[in-house]
Amino acid sequence: MGASELTWRKSSRSGANSNCVEAARVRDAVRLRDSKNPAAGTLEVPLRSWSAFLRGADRAVG
């Protein structure tokens, strides 16, 4: 599945001029891209790793 066919999401806390990462779910993974330069490519991370990252980030903030 190409990047243009995915549903990309970014944090609701992202401002218009912020450095943001967008994420899209694909099969059993998550693809990440730079919201300011989406044509630069994507990084695919296993869903388990992405979930662990989010849990760790939530604990650090929370």
Side-chain angles (χ1 to χ4, degrees):
M1 183 176 296
S4 63
E5 300 169 316
L6 298 173
T7 302
W8 294 94
R9 299 179 54 146
K10 66 179 176 179
S11 172
S12 60
R13 295 183 183 197
S14 298
N17 295 322
S18 299
N19 293 325
C20 302
V21 172
E22 294 176 319
R25 175 90 184 262
V26 55
R27 296 178 305 280
D28 57 348
V30 174
R31 284 192 192 166
L32 305 169
R33 72 178 181 182
D34 180 349
S35 63
K36 288 188 175 182
N37 191 6
T42 63
L43 172 68
E44 191 166 303
V45 179
L47 185 57
R48 262 182 111 171
S49 299
W50 181 246
S51 297
F53 169 77
L54 292 177
R55 282 191 304 275
D58 189 47
R59 281 193 297 270
V61 172

